[in-house]
Amino acid sequence: MPVWIKNLLLILLLTVLVVGSLLLGRYPEPGFINFQSIRTDPIAQNIILNLRLPRIITAVILGSTLALTGLVFQTILGNPLVEAGFLGISQGAAFGAALMIILNVKIPMAITLSAAAFSLAALGLTWSLARAIRFGGWIIRLILAGIIISAVFSSGLGILKYLADPRSQLQEITFWLMGGLSGIGWTELKYMIPFTIPALFLIFLLRWRLNLLSMGDRTAHSMGMSPVLEKNFFLLIAVLATAAVVSYCGIIGWIGLIIPHIARRISGSDTSKSVPTAILTGGIFALICDDAARTVSTGEIPLGILTSLSGALIFTLLMVFSPRRKHI
């Protein structure tokens, strides 16, 4: 089946899920609300327009952003096991957001900008440490450096939790650790969009250049590219987009790891085809997980827990049922 037909089917599936998610919830009773209630019940109208709709849009943006940035990291770094969490980017963003909470900074965008700054710092530290490690291949050194930097920022986050006011600040910081969309409204979405939508659009437009960058610096340079400059450009916009969603939604793991693998299974390794598939598949996955988070029980389940659980199961299936390769 051609890739464009597969992506068209994914668009249809995402559209059906968005409409179903608008109707799905626990008001006035668990399940789908009927159209008669939507027309006549002002409370139902308010819930759909001001609670569910911004949350659904955020879930799609969250999943698409993490999936696409995961694909960018894996392609540029040449490592299929890399995602934002493995490089310390998510932990850096959570530390930056928690620091603004502890300092009680009320300036708009302060949390997002702080999260972006510490995400970039985490990526820079991971990259520098990987170059300084004296044993193992590049992939092993990068993973080891990511583990170390992640542990450093996780420890810093633990210190901030210890210093936080248990009556208010600690609850907010705990939110970053588990992730969730319960606090998302139109205001949060308004601040998130300027960092995510332009990043998704730019990567989508330049997706074919990722193929050239994945061939190595020498090949890319021979084709007239400036590989170092272009890699830094892709990494910068990927980190900014990741920081924006983490600063409002918390640490949401595994999406950036498993969705690029699924996208490559559907569309192949050509990034001009796998990028649109990753955007659609990431949005679908995050939306399904968020629907489960807010409807399975009376109390909301943190989204990060569901993505980690389902992501681990899916990743296991991908590895077990991957095509077997012969090693000589």
Side-chain angles (χ1 to χ4, degrees):
M1 180 185 297
V3 174
W4 70 270
I5 294 182
K6 295 178 182 177
N7 287 335
L8 182 61
L9 292 175
L10 289 174
I11 292 173
L12 293 175
L13 175 60
L14 181 59
T15 304
V16 171
L17 283 173
V18 167
V19 175
S21 300
L22 281 173
L23 303 177
L24 181 64
R26 304 188 70 81
Y27 179 84
E29 57 186 17
F32 292 95
I33 191 169
N34 58 61
F35 290 101
Q36 178 65 25
S37 298
I38 296 174
R39 287 197 299 268
T40 59
D41 188 348
I43 297 177
Q45 295 171 0
N46 184 50
I47 288 175
I48 289 176
L49 291 178
N50 295 318
L51 293 179
R52 293 181 189 171
L53 184 56
R55 179 170 181 153
I56 289 167
I57 296 174
T58 303
V60 174
I61 292 176
L62 166 73
S64 300
T65 301
L66 293 180
L68 185 54
T69 54
L71 182 63
V72 169
F73 292 138
Q74 293 179 8
T75 302
I76 288 181
L77 302 178
N79 186 344
L81 298 179
V82 165
E83 62 138 359
F86 281 65
L87 297 174
I89 295 171
S90 296
Q91 289 79 6
F95 178 84
L99 185 62
M100 290 298 103
I101 294 173
I102 290 292
L103 297 177
N104 203 26
V105 177
K106 300 299 182 182
I107 301 173
M109 306 287 288
I111 290 180
T112 302
L113 294 176
S114 177
F118 279 95
S119 297
L120 289 171
L123 179 62
L125 290 171
T126 299
W127 190 276
S128 301
L129 184 59
R131 293 174 64 88
I133 294 176
R134 296 300 180 189
F135 63 90
W138 173 246
I139 294 177
I140 296 298
R141 285 187 281 142
L142 196 63
I143 292 176
L144 288 175
I147 291 172
I148 294 170
I149 299 303
S150 297
V152 170
F153 278 107
S154 295
S155 299
L157 193 59
I159 294 173
L160 293 180
K161 288 176 63 180
Y162 180 76
L163 298 175
D165 183 350
R167 292 168 297 181
S168 57
Q169 295 174 334
L170 185 58
Q171 295 177 5
E172 287 190 61
I173 294 175
T174 303
F175 167 80
W176 304 113
L177 298 180
M178 294 189 292
L181 302 181
S182 59
I184 294 295
W186 288 114
T187 302
E188 290 75 16
L189 184 59
K190 180 182 68 177
Y191 288 129
M192 188 189 305
I193 282 177
F195 289 90
T196 52
I197 299 301
L200 295 176
F201 185 68
L202 275 175
I203 296 174
F204 179 83
L205 283 181
L206 302 173
R207 61 192 186 280
W208 59 276
R209 298 186 78 85
L210 288 170
N211 281 328
L212 302 180
L213 292 175
S214 67
M215 296 177 183
D217 290 355
R218 183 172 299 179
T219 303
H221 187 73
S222 67
M223 295 182 176
M225 300 180 67
S226 177
V228 175
L229 183 63
E230 297 205 25
K231 282 182 179 178
N232 289 336
F233 171 74
F234 275 110
L235 289 175
L236 176 63
I237 58 178
V239 168
L240 289 177
T242 302
V245 295
V246 170
S247 64
Y248 287 104
C249 307
I251 297 178
I252 308 293
W254 288 88
I255 295 179
L257 176 63
I258 63 168
I259 298 301
H261 286 272
I262 295 174
R264 284 191 286 266
R265 291 284 183 93
I266 295 173
S267 303
S269 57
D270 183 353
T271 54
S272 64
K273 297 177 181 176
S274 59
V275 162
T277 305
I279 292 174
L280 294 169
T281 313
I284 290 170
F285 178 75
L287 187 54
I288 292 174
C289 288
D290 185 56
D291 285 346
R294 64 184 176 87
T295 58
V296 167
S297 64
T298 53
E300 182 164 331
I301 303 172
L303 179 60
I305 294 176
L306 289 180
T307 59
S308 297
L309 177 61
S310 54
L313 293 174
I314 293 172
F315 190 67
T316 302
L317 294 175
L318 288 173
M319 296 300 104
V320 170
F321 294 102
S322 64
R324 186 178 293 277
R325 296 179 180 178
K326 294 181 179 180
H327 298 281
I328 298 176

